[in-house]
């Protein structure tokens, strides 16, 4: 997209071809998310091949801790992005500026709180999330070095989403490329060249995220941009804060639910399969995250289009955008499901040469991914509700798959089927959540149509 005339770009959201708009906005987001996911994958490949299976397991233990940081970042980032889109669609420039300034202050407050807690209780938190005597040192080394980068990571990702929503999708993508490219260069130097091991991966991420965040902040300090930091926008305003947090609550709860799920999973994995099973889960999560990040990228491209058109009352364009996003996301997860079910050993060997871990990972992928092909529909639908400001519905769908259905299954099945019970909990949860999602999205589309008919 040509970003020289951003106001024109925003107007195109209400008039341009939906397929082209979704492609133009989603492609940069998808590429950016893939690049960011890719360097996480490469981190884990380097660590697995260069340090060993215990290091992979230790890194897997840090997932829920990192998810707490991500959840608090998403609470602000997703809400700010959606609110900016809706306000720009309604031609409320000052409201959008207030969202930008308030979101920046909220990031700083949140980061201060969770980094203080992590710093004081790190070992206790890691043990709670399933660290054993063998994996705790690796998890501690990684977290100790990555914590300074969490703040700039939240700043970068949050404001990058706002940049995309305010009409700069390509610039948002290139900003993510910058961070990912620096990380890819520094990773092998720090891990192998300097011999820093798992600490090197964390330090490389800190530096890359710092540069990424600096570039995004600079964008919002320029006078020529559509949306920028302005005097008075930093003063927290209750209505603005509640609008940000209300919409961001759903995706934030997804991340927090992931933390809870990881605690339960890691505890069960240690009980029924030991550190080897924890490492296998780490590989499984890394592979499936690559696929879900593509879907998240499509959702990020979808969100400003739906938000703007919902704010402008253009319901037929909203429906078309949602339908296309579901179709594209489903195609991606079907492809990933086929790869996971037919080539599990190849995926495992990318991370380790340990034959026992390869065999465990094979079993995990085959059992866990049977119903993975429905996940795209679930994620897009949750984002749809978020984008139109239907907060509680988005929250409910966010919790359905990972809490309402998955947690009971994780409690019941392992006691009867052991390690296989853990892996099969995922497809059963996906099936139940898909049925609920289908019913809710069908009802909502009918309600939107009725609302539109009344206004016209």
């Amino acid at each position: 997209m040509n970003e020289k005339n951003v106001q024109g770009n925003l107007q195109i959201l209400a008039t341009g071809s939906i397929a082209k708009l979704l492609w133009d906005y989603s492609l940069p987001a998808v590429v950016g998310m893939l690049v960011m996911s890719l360097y996480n994958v490469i981190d884990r490949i380097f660590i697995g091949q260069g340090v060993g299976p215990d290091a992979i397991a230790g890194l897997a233990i840090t997932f829920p801790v990192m998810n707490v940081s991500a959840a608090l970042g998403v609470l602000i980032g997703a809400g700010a992005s959606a609110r900016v889109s809706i306000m720009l669609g309604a031609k409320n420039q000052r409201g959008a500026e207030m969202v930008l300034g308030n979101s920046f202050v909220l990031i700083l407050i949140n980061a201060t709180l969770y980094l203080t807690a992590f710093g004081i209780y790190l070992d206790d938190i890691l043990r709670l999330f399933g660290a054993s005597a063998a994996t705790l040192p690796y998890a501690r080394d990684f977290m100790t070095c990555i914590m300074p980068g969490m703040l700039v990571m939240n700043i970068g990702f949050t404001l990058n989403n706002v940049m995309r929503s305010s009409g700069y999708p390509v610039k948002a993508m290139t900003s993510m490329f910058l961070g990912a490219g620096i990380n890819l260069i520094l990773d092998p130097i720090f891990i192998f060249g300097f011999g820093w091991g798992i600490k090197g991966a964390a330090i490389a991420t800190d530096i890359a995220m710092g540069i990424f965040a600096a570039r995004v902040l600079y964008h919002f300090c320029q006078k020529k941009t559509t949306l920028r930091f302005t005097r008075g926008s930093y003063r927290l305003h209750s209505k603005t804060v509640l609008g940000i947090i209300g919409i961001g609550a759903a995706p934030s709860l997804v991340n927090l639910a992931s933390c809870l799920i990881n605690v339960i999973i890691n505890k069960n994995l240690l009980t029924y399969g030991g550190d080897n099973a924890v490492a296998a889960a780490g590989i499984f999560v890394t592979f499936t995250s690559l696929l879900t990040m593509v879907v998240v990228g499509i959702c990020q491209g979808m969100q400003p289009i739906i938000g703007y058109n919902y704010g402008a009352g253009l319901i037929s364009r909203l429906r078309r955008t949602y339908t296309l996003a579901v179709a594209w996301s489903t195609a991606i997860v079907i492809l990933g499901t086929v790869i996971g079910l037919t080539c599990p050993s190849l995926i495992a060997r990318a991370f380790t040469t340990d034959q026992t871990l390869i065999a465990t990972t094979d079993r995990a992928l085959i059992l866990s991914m049977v119903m993975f092909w429905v996940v795209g529909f679930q994620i897009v639908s949750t984002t749809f509700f978020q984008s139109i400001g239907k907060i509680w519905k988005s929250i409910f769908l966010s919790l359905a798959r990972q809490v309402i259905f998955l947690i009971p299954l994780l409690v019941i099945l392992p006691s009867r089927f052991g390690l296989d019970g853990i892996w099969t909990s995922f497809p059963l949860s996906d099936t139940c959540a898909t049925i609920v999602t289908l019913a809710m999205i069908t009802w909502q589309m009918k309600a939107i149509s009725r609302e539109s008919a009344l206004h016209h």
Side-chain angles (χ1 to χ4, degrees), residues 331-346:
I332 293 296
V333 291
I334 287 175
L335 176 62
T337 301
V338 171
I339 294 172
L341 294 178
T342 58
C343 310
S345 295
L346 291 178

Side-chain angles (χ1 to χ4, degrees), residues 1-314:
M1 292 179 66
N2 181 2
E3 295 182 356
K4 293 181 180 180
N5 186 349
V6 181
Q7 292 291 353
N9 285 348
L10 291 174
Q11 185 59 35
I12 289 173
L13 291 175
T15 59
S17 162
I18 292 296
K20 186 176 187 304
L21 280 171
L22 188 58
W23 176 262
D24 286 343
Y25 271 77
S26 293
L27 182 61
V30 168
V31 172
M33 295 302 293
L34 274 179
V35 170
M36 299 302 285
S37 297
L38 184 60
Y39 81 70
N40 285 327
V41 170
I42 291 175
D43 272 355
R44 290 155 199 173
I45 290 174
F46 282 151
I47 289 167
Q49 299 287 354
V51 185
D54 282 344
I56 294 181
L59 196 61
I61 296 299
T62 69
F63 291 168
V65 187
M66 296 292 288
N67 274 340
V68 172
S69 168
L72 294 173
V74 168
L75 176 66
I76 302 164
S81 177
R83 291 300 297 167
V84 163
S85 294
I86 292 172
M87 288 187 173
L88 289 176
K91 305 296 187 293
N92 186 354
Q93 179 71 24
R94 183 55 184 168
E97 291 171 352
M98 288 296 294
V99 170
L100 175 63
N102 275 220
S103 65
F104 182 66
V105 174
L106 289 173
I107 295 168
L108 299 180
I109 294 172
N110 269 338
T112 300
L113 294 175
Y114 71 71
L115 287 175
T116 299
F118 288 170
I120 297 173
Y121 302 108
L122 183 59
D123 278 15
D124 293 332
I125 292 171
L126 292 173
R127 289 192 187 98
L128 174 67
F129 288 168
S132 67
T135 60
L136 179 61
Y138 295 107
R140 183 196 302 121
D141 284 349
F142 184 81
M143 285 304 305
T144 300
C145 292
I146 200 70
M147 281 195 293
M150 287 183 177
L151 170 59
V152 290
M153 195 179 299
N154 280 167
I155 291 172
F157 281 120
T158 296
L159 299 186
N160 200 59
N161 286 337
V162 176
M163 183 193 297
R164 182 182 301 107
S165 293
S166 60
Y168 294 86
V170 175
K171 195 170 186 179
M173 177 188 71
T174 57
S175 297
M176 297 182 79
F177 264 123
L178 176 65
I182 292 170
N183 193 85
L184 287 172
I185 293 170
L186 295 181
D187 252 351
I189 296 173
F190 289 177
I191 294 173
F192 298 112
F194 292 172
W196 292 348
I198 199 168
K199 291 182 179 180
I203 294 170
T205 300
D206 290 343
I207 295 172
M209 288 297 97
I211 296 172
F212 166 51
R215 186 175 192 267
V216 175
L217 283 170
Y218 177 70
H219 166 83
F220 287 108
C221 292
Q222 294 178 291
K223 291 184 178 180
K224 64 181 181 181
T225 60
T226 298
L227 189 63
R228 57 186 176 274
F229 293 117
T230 56
R231 179 174 295 181
S233 65
Y234 306 104
R235 187 180 298 111
L236 293 180
H237 185 267
S238 59
K239 187 175 181 180
T240 302
V241 170
L242 289 174
I244 293 170
I245 293 176
I247 293 180
S252 179
L253 282 171
V254 171
N255 283 274
L256 287 175
S258 294
C259 300
L260 177 61
I261 294 302
N262 273 305
V263 171
I264 296 172
I265 291 173
N266 286 339
K267 293 289 188 181
N268 281 346
L269 289 171
L270 277 174
T271 300
Y272 296 102
D275 289 330
N276 200 62
V278 175
I283 296 173
F284 160 67
V285 169
T286 301
F287 173 66
T288 54
S289 292
L290 268 179
L291 301 169
T292 55
M293 285 303 99
V294 176
V295 176
V296 169
I298 293 172
C299 289
Q300 288 181 349
M302 173 192 78
Q303 182 268 318
I305 304 171
I306 284 184
Y308 191 96
N309 282 284
Y310 185 72
L314 302 174

